[in-house]
């Protein structure tokens, strides 16, 4: 994954999540993750053009949910979501 990420950065794409000191999107605190010491930012939204300040990014969907008929709460995925707001 690092080589793919570096290709975007090399071609002047911006990553609003990292511009703001991002949290992990694949986190050991997520009960769906086997390795509790894993803390990675694996999910990104890139954009090109504009200034870095034109985008705000955050990690979302960190909440846990119960399925109908179950009292066990788990996150929706092993990856948390990424939200980006672009100002054009």
């Amino acid at each position: 994954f690092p080589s793919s990420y570096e290709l975007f950065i090399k071609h002047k794409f911006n990553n609003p999540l990292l511009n703001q000191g991002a949290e992990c999107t694949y986190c050991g605190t997520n009960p769906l993750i086997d390795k509790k010491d894993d803390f990675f930012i694996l999910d990104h939204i890139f954009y090109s053009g504009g200034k870095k300040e034109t985008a705000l990014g955050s990690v979302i969907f960190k909440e846990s949910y119960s399925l109908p008929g179950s009292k066990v709460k788990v996150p929706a995925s092993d990856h948390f979501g990424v939200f980006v707001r672009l100002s054009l």
Side-chain angles (χ1 to χ4, degrees), residues 37-71:
D37 57 344
D38 281 354
F39 291 89
F40 300 107
I41 301 171
L42 297 180
D43 305 276
H44 305 277
I45 297 175
F46 296 102
Y47 72 97
S48 65
K51 299 178 182 174
K52 288 184 179 181
E53 298 80 25
T54 62
L56 299 173
S58 60
V59 176
I60 59 172
F61 300 133
K62 298 185 286 185
E63 302 83 8
S64 293
Y65 304 92
S66 294
L67 296 174
S70 174
K71 293 184 180 183

Side-chain angles (χ1 to χ4, degrees), residues 17-88:
L17 196 60
L18 289 185
N19 294 344
Q20 297 173 314
E23 305 172 57
C24 58
T25 61
Y26 187 83
C27 311
T29 55
N30 185 329
L32 299 177
I33 303 296
D34 290 334
K35 295 181 180 178
K36 298 305 175 193
D37 57 344
D38 281 354
F39 291 89
F40 300 107
I41 301 171
L42 297 180
D43 305 276
H44 305 277
I45 297 175
F46 296 102
Y47 72 97
S48 65
K51 299 178 182 174
K52 288 184 179 181
E53 298 80 25
T54 62
L56 299 173
S58 60
V59 176
I60 59 172
F61 300 133
K62 298 185 286 185
E63 302 83 8
S64 293
Y65 304 92
S66 294
L67 296 174
S70 174
K71 293 184 180 183
V72 177
K73 289 187 163 191
V74 294
S77 174
D78 58 344
H79 290 241
F80 297 137
V82 176
F83 175 83
V84 171
R85 180 183 304 261
L86 293 172
S87 299
L88 303 175

